[in-house]
């Protein structure tokens, strides 16, 4: 029997589905729902065992994201953010990593793009100011991070003497102000609001710099590219949403008779074809993800760095799965008919959630161009893979 301990238990899935309308209306996860997800270990799958985490495989973490997203899109997105942010536990200096992730209740999140500014302090550490968007899950995070660029006293770019220029820094929770900006069409329950800090002091070394920081904890997961895992996390949310949409459409079709028709929606040939094609699309998209992640995992387990080709395929699979599953949810939305005009329809909610997920920069249309250039052997900057 396969291990399913990384997946949400049935009672938690039932809770998320029951509370989904409330989650969407609240525009964040309720505290008791967060507690249930935390107790199930869903926010810590990728925390290394060195800091008390379960250190699940890459694929197990992605499977958990997809499973939660099928129950509720906002909850799945929040798990994705927590898991990908926790990859910093492999890069942070041990003291900071243990302080942040050693707590079994720890949940982290943040936006990595350098939207803030930081001034290097004479005795070490940084003074940070800034505002970040897309603060998914920040309302329930025990620690929040943000990308910054180092500047001098005049606000001009000024890397530190050791080369530090664009760190992703962790703030004390009390230094962060959450803003009420998350009024959106989809993934409302993820609570991805803007947040700010003013003159926040970040202790020396409580940051990572993607592309420059070397792993402190050397494990298979630490050999995976951060951007690749983030893109795959978005794809996993999209796959979970498409699966839920299919499930709901099948339930609807068995009892719905389109206006003027004597046959149920399920009895119509066009429905049968569309459902079969949608299922094939979702299954094949996930198979592509599983194939390339599995291949990369074998390399990482052997202690070798992933090749550019492996990293290219991780991003290609992620982008393609996201795009194809978004298209599937749009088709299901149309197939459901007039009933899907109502906000109470779970198919409509899946459709809206999937289309917001598809806007993430890590799975943007331009990723196809990057993957295609590399496939064609053209001179290409692969640093963002």
């Amino acid at each position: 029997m396969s291990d399913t301990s990384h997946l949400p238990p049935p009672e938690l899935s039932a809770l998320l589905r029951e509370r989904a309308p409330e989650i969407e209306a609240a525009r964040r996860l309720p505290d008791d729902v967060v507690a249930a997800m935390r107790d199930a270990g869903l926010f810590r799958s990728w925390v290394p065992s060195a800091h008390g985490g379960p250190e699940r495989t890459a694929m197990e973490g992605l499977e958990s994201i997809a499973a939660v997203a099928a129950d509720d899109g906002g909850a799945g997105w929040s798990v994705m953010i927590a898991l990908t942010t926790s990859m910093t536990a492999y890069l942070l200096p041990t003291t900071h990593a243990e302080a942040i992730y050693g707590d079994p209740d720890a949940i982290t999140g943040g936006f990595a793009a350098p939207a803030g500014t930081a001034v290097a302090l004479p005795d070490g550490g940084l003074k940070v100011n800034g505002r970040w968007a897309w603060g998914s899950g920040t309302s329930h995070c025990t620690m929040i991070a943000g990308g910054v660029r180092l500047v001098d006293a005049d606000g001009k770019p000024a890397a530190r003497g050791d080369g530090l220029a664009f760190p992703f820094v962790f703030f004390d929770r009390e230094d962060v102000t959450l803003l009420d900006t998350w009024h959106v069409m989809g993934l409302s329950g993820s609570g991805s609001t803007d947040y700010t800090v003013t003159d926040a002091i970040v202790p020396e070394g409580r940051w990572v710099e993607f592309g420059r920081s070397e792993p402190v904890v050397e494990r298979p997961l630490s050999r995976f590219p951060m951007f690749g895992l983030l893109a795959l996390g978005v794809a996993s949310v999209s796959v979970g949403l498409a699966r839920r949409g299919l499930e709901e459409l099948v339930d609807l079709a068995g009892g719905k008779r389109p206006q003027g028709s004597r046959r149920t929606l399920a009895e119509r040939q066009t429905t049968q074809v569309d459902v079969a094609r949608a299922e094939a699309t979702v299954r094949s998209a996930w198979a592509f993800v599983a194939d390339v992640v599995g291949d990369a995992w074998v390399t990482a387990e052997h202690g070798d760095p992933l090749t550019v080709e492996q990293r290219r395929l991780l991003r290609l699979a992620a982008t393609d799965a996201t795009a194809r599953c978004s298209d599937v949810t749009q088709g299901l939305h149309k197939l459901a008919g007039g009933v899907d005009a109502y906000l109470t329809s779970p198919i409509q909610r899946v459709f809206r959630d999937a289309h917001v997920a598809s806007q993430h920069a890590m799975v943007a249309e331009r990723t196809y161009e990057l993957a295609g250039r590399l496939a064609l052997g053209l001179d290409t900057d692969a640093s963002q893979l």
Side-chain angles (χ1 to χ4, degrees), residues 141-165:
C141 284
T142 55
M143 208 155 197
I144 300 169
V148 301
R149 63 188 186 281
L150 263 72
V151 297
D152 60 19
D154 296 323
K156 296 180 180 179
R160 212 166 65 164
D162 59 359
L164 186 72

Side-chain angles (χ1 to χ4, degrees), residues 249 252-253 256-258 263-268 271-272 335-336:
L249 193 283
L252 173 70
K256 180 185 178 183
R257 284 184 171 80
R263 295 181 297 169
T264 65
L265 190 60
E267 292 171 323
R268 304 180 79 174
T271 302
Q272 296 156 12
L335 195 57

Side-chain angles (χ1 to χ4, degrees), residues 222-258:
S222 71
R223 300 181 186 105
F224 269 69
M226 178 66 181
F227 292 148
L229 279 176
L230 178 55
L232 288 162
V234 174
S236 299
V237 171
S238 302
V239 168
L241 290 168
R243 287 174 177 168
R244 176 65 181 277
L246 269 166
E247 176 188 332
E248 295 291 342
L249 193 283
V250 169
D251 286 346
L252 173 70
K256 180 185 178 183
R257 284 184 171 80

